């Protein structure tokens, strides 16, 4: 397209816009560093160490030019196959894929190595390329948000969640944590050891409020994924509500509770029942005396002020959970995350409608990732298979009973089973002791400690768990291996719990004291 120049009488050609297909850029080119892309690709084909440096920083999509994306993807493939990376191997691999002419031919590959003398600054160059890619992604996401925000048919909350998810995806895919030096790790470990020494009860994590359980676990530890599994009607929800109440009310720890099964009002009613010691049945029916009403109001003051945050979104996906957990961590500094329960979650994204076992595997891996990212313990309830019901004897659950996926067992740092013998009509144990109202917490896997059984009292009318004897500690009677009640003031240093050798990540049995006997914990 041209027009006549008034001064010279010559035709003047208008420059064609090269960015007309890029939305909302106002004539600007997207952020890019093509010269650095050429230098990095050349360095990767010159020096072997350069690949080790850049491979963790860059992805194929980090490059602006399509040709550079294909070349880097080829280098990634060669690296994965442990094959040499140089001009010849890259050229040959691109030729086999039918992409050599698309990227500019063998001549262009050769020219890339002439753009750089050495790989001395490749890390800096690679990080600049990664930053330019993040800038382009932010522009793309922002443009889409603007377009959809102008659409009157768009649901604003769906758009808000989508925007947040896309931004988190950019950050998660590009901001990788670096390694830590041994000296820094030693200092951090010593600090934790000293903190544990100064704690009166030895609890360095988030306390459950159950004496025997806290002595075994030292509290729920940051970055740990804890699976609490049981058959229906065993009291899983009641158990986590009790420990949530203890952490938030007694120890002032902010707790987030995601309930996929019960509404938030139902959960709070249970909490009020346990706190006021008035049965939930009476609370539901409203058949209360005036003194009971006063009792409720006088006892729930601490509960009302507790830093507890309940979300009862149905069909919650891992994607949504991660976004909500991040917000709760940033706004309220939550120290514990509880999910009730794992099998009701969805993986979201491309996993919808896929194999359920693979979806559960994705969910369990994501929960562990959330625990590490936020550096808080994540407690997830899980259902057990019906194999427990068909089993004879005491019907104690095993790791193989975890429902729908073996990856739950692999991803978890700790697996606890909740078992109430009296539910199955078993009113006495092997030694003739009553099991009525007794709940066994079976720690079947403990990545960072010993495995053992802990007994708690279950009050069915209040759906409440508490210590079997609040003035006692349950230790291992070394002769018969049963729990024995010990009075306050007992010297615990030479006492232990019922322990079994920990499988330590499902490897061979691990003996803590390197002898043939199980050491007391």
């Amino acid at each position: 397209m041209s027009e006549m120049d008034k001064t010279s009488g010559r035709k003047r050609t208008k420059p064609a816009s090269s960015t007309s297909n890029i939305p909302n850029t106002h004539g600007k080119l997207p952020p890019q560093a093509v010269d650095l892309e050429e230098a990095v690709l050349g360095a990767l084909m010159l020096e072997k160490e350069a690949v080790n440096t850049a491979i963790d920083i860059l992805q194929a999509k980090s490059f602006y030019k399509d040709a550079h994306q294909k070349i880097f993807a080829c280098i990634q493939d060669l690296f994965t196959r442990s094959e040499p990376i140089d001009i010849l191997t890259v050229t040959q691999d691109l030729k086999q894929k039918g992409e050599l002419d698309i990227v500019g031919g063998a001549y262009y590959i050769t020219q890339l190595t002439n753009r750089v003398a050495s790989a001395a600054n490749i890390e800096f160059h690679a990080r600049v390329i990664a930053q330019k890619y993040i800038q382009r992604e932010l522009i793309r996401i922002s443009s889409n948000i603007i377009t959809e925000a102008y659409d009157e048919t768009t649901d604003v909350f769906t758009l808000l969640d989508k925007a947040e998810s896309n931004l988190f995806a950019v950050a998660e895919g590009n901001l990788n944590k670096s390694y830590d030096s041994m000296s820094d790790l030693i200092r951090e470990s010593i600090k934790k050891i000293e903190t544990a020494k100064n704690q009166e009860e030895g609890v360095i994590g988030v306390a459950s409020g159950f004496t025997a359980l806290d002595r075994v676990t030292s509290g729920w530890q940051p970055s740990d994924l804890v699976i609490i599994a049981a058959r229906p009607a065993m009291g899983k929800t009641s158990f986590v509500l009790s420990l949530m109440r203890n952490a938030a009310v007694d120890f002032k720890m902010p707790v987030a509770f995601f309930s996929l099964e019960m509404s938030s009002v139902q959960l709070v009613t249970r909490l009020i029942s346990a706190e006021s010691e008035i049965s939930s049945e009476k609370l539901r029916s409203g058949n209360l005396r005036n003194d009971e009403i006063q009792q409720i109001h006088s006892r729930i003051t601490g509960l009302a002020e507790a830093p507890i945050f309940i979300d009862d979104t149905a069909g919650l996906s891992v994607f949504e959970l991660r976004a909500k957990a991040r917000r709760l961590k940033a706004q309220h500094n939550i120290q514990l995350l509880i999910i009730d329960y794992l099998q009701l979650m969805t993986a979201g994204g491309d996993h919808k409608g896929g194999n359920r076992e693979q979806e559960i595997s994705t969910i369990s891996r994501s929960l562990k990732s959330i625990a590490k990212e936020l550096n808080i313990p994540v407690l997830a309830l899980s259902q057990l298979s019906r194999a427990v019901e068909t089993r004879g004897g005491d019907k104690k659950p095993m790791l193989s009973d975890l429902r729908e996926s073996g990856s739950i067992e692999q991803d978890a740092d700790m697996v606890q089973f909740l078992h109430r013998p009296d539910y199955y009509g078993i009113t006495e144990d092997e030694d003739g002791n009553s099991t009525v109202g007794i709940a066994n917490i079976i720690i079947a896997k403990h990545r960072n400690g010993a495995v053992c059984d802990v007994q708690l009292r279950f009050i069915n009318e209040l759906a409440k768990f508490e210590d079997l004897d609040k003035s006692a500690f349950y230790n291992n009677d070394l002769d018969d291996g049963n729990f024995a009640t010990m009075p306050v003031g007992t010297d615990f240093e030479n006492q232990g719990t019922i322990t079994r050798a920990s499988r330590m990540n499902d490897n061979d049995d691990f003996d803590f004291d390197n002898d043939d006997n199980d050491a007391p914990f």
Side-chain angles (χ1 to χ4, degrees):
M1 184 176 179
S2 63
E3 62 182 17
M4 188 68 67
D5 190 311
K6 294 180 181 179
T7 58
S8 62
R10 297 178 181 175
K11 287 187 177 180
R12 183 177 60 198
T13 303
K14 290 184 177 180
S17 173
S18 61
T19 59
S20 58
N21 60 336
I22 301 174
N24 300 317
T25 56
H26 306 291
K28 297 179 181 178
L29 283 173
Q32 55 185 285
V34 176
D35 54 342
L36 292 183
E37 291 181 9
E38 294 172 346
V40 166
L41 291 174
L44 293 177
M45 291 184 285
L46 282 177
E47 297 186 21
K48 181 179 179 181
E49 292 302 319
V51 180
N52 297 330
T53 302
I55 207 78
D56 289 334
I57 302 173
L58 297 173
Q59 309 168 61
K61 60 186 178 182
S62 302
F63 292 82
Y64 179 69
K65 291 185 65 174
D66 290 341
H68 294 170
Q69 291 182 9
K70 295 182 184 300
I71 295 171
F72 186 79
C74 173
I75 292 173
Q76 277 185 316
D77 290 343
L78 292 170
F79 180 80
T80 303
R81 301 197 301 264
S82 300
E83 295 182 10
I85 299 171
D86 54 38
I87 299 174
L88 296 177
T89 56
V90 171
T91 301
Q92 182 63 27
D93 197 63
L94 286 169
K95 185 184 294 184
Q96 290 178 351
K97 294 177 180 178
E99 296 178 345
L100 183 58
D101 291 336
I102 298 174
V103 303
Y107 176 76
Y108 185 72
I109 303 294
T110 305
Q111 286 297 105
L112 288 175
T113 59
N114 295 331
R115 301 290 179 130
V116 61
S118 72
N121 300 316
I122 189 170
E123 182 175 354
F124 176 79
H125 295 162
R127 294 198 182 279
V128 172
I129 294 171
Q131 290 168 14
K132 296 299 181 184
Y133 166 69
I134 294 173
Q135 288 177 272
R136 294 197 300 273
E137 283 295 282
L138 292 176
I139 292 171
R140 179 185 62 81
I141 293 169
S142 301
S143 298
N144 291 337
I145 293 171
I146 292 170
T147 302
E148 293 189 40
Y150 275 112
D151 187 349
E152 294 293 339
T153 63
T154 301
D155 181 89
V156 65
F157 296 107
T158 301
L159 177 59
L160 186 63
D161 184 68
K162 180 181 178 181
E164 187 178 50
S165 298
N166 287 337
L167 289 172
F168 281 143
V170 172
E172 187 179 62
N174 293 277
L175 304 180
N176 297 323
K177 183 180 182 295
S178 182
Y179 57 82
D180 296 307
S181 67
M182 191 62 180
S183 59
D184 291 338
L185 294 173
I186 287 290
R187 278 195 295 270
E188 186 67 23
S189 297
I190 293 298
K191 183 180 178 180
K192 287 187 177 181
I193 293 170
E194 290 175 348
T195 301
K197 179 181 181 298
N198 295 330
Q199 291 289 333
E200 185 176 346
E201 299 296 331
V203 177
I204 59 174
V206 178
S208 70
F210 301 126
T211 307
L213 185 59
D214 283 338
R215 288 189 182 276
V216 175
T217 64
S218 297
W220 311 115
Q221 300 302 308
S223 78
D224 274 5
L225 172 59
V226 180
I227 299 296
I228 300 172
R231 287 292 295 155
M234 279 292 150
K236 297 188 298 296
T237 302
S238 299
F239 176 59
V240 291
L241 283 177
S242 294
L243 64 87
M244 177 184 71
R245 178 265 169 210
N246 296 341
V249 176
D250 295 341
F251 301 100
K252 310 302 179 186
M253 293 286 187
V255 182
F257 193 105
F258 288 86
S259 175
L260 287 84
E261 186 175 33
M262 299 176 63
S263 71
S264 55
V265 174
Q266 289 175 318
L267 292 173
V268 172
T269 302
R270 282 198 179 192
L271 285 169
I272 293 173
S273 172
E275 197 74 5
S276 63
E277 297 187 343
I278 297 174
S279 71
S280 55
E281 183 178 346
K282 295 189 73 174
L283 294 180
R284 284 195 302 270
S285 65
N287 185 24
L288 298 168
R289 302 187 306 270
N290 289 336
D291 63 301
E292 289 176 326
I293 293 291
Q294 293 176 354
Q295 181 177 330
I296 291 173
H297 285 289
S298 64
R299 293 193 179 185
I300 64 171
T301 303
L303 188 63
E305 298 174 352
I308 296 174
F309 308 94
I310 299 176
D311 187 312
D312 60 358
T313 303
L316 189 69
S317 71
V318 171
F319 219 57
E320 295 168 330
L321 174 68
R322 187 188 296 273
K324 292 183 177 186
R326 278 170 166 159
R327 285 200 296 268
L328 285 167
K329 179 66 175 178
Q331 295 173 5
H332 303 288
N333 193 29
I334 58 170
Q335 299 297 306
L336 178 65
L337 179 64
I338 301 173
I339 299 144
D340 181 15
Y341 58 92
L342 189 149
Q343 278 81 9
L344 290 179
M345 293 188 69
T346 61
D350 297 332
H351 296 277
K352 291 181 178 179
N355 181 279
R356 182 57 179 165
E357 184 173 339
Q358 292 176 349
E359 188 175 18
I360 291 293
S361 298
T362 300
I363 293 170
S364 65
R365 284 195 304 271
S366 299
L367 293 181
K368 175 60 181 175
S369 174
I370 292 170
K372 288 189 66 177
E373 177 188 342
L374 302 182
N375 196 34
I376 60 173
V378 172
L379 275 58
L381 300 188
S382 178
Q383 291 280 24
L384 292 177
S385 67
R386 290 189 178 90
V388 178
E389 310 289 345
T390 60
R391 188 177 300 133
D394 55 13
K395 298 185 182 297
K396 280 190 176 183
M398 302 182 296
L399 287 171
S400 58
D401 296 325
L402 284 169
R403 186 175 169 186
E404 291 182 313
S405 178
S407 67
I408 297 176
E409 175 187 350
Q410 293 175 346
D411 295 327
D413 297 281
M414 186 185 302
V415 177
Q416 297 184 1
F417 294 125
L418 184 58
H419 178 61
R420 292 195 292 117
D422 62 348
Y423 176 82
Y424 297 105
I426 304 172
T427 57
E428 291 185 351
D429 60 17
E430 296 176 353
D431 299 317
N433 299 317
S434 175
T435 60
V436 177
I438 302 297
N440 294 320
I441 309 300
I442 303 169
I443 303 179
K445 177 184 178 182
H446 193 182
R447 184 166 288 168
N448 301 307
V451 293
C452 66
D453 296 352
V454 173
Q455 288 186 325
L456 299 176
R457 176 81 60 194
F458 177 65
I459 305 173
N460 191 38
E461 297 79 10
L462 305 178
K464 177 181 179 181
F465 285 78
E466 61 181 25
D467 282 334
L468 194 60
D469 184 343
K470 293 182 180 180
S471 64
F473 171 67
Y474 314 106
N475 73 296
N476 180 28
D477 187 319
L478 298 179
D479 292 330
D480 55 21
N482 293 319
F483 278 113
T485 301
M486 299 191 67
V488 172
T490 302
D491 179 11
F492 295 113
E493 291 187 3
N494 297 317
Q495 308 296 337
T497 56
I498 296 180
T499 61
R500 303 186 297 277
S502 173
R503 300 204 309 171
M504 298 300 287
N505 294 324
D506 303 327
N507 292 329
D508 295 334
D509 289 348
F510 186 89
D511 193 6
F512 285 96
D513 54 353
N514 294 321
D515 58 24
D516 295 329
N517 301 314
D518 287 339
F521 181 73

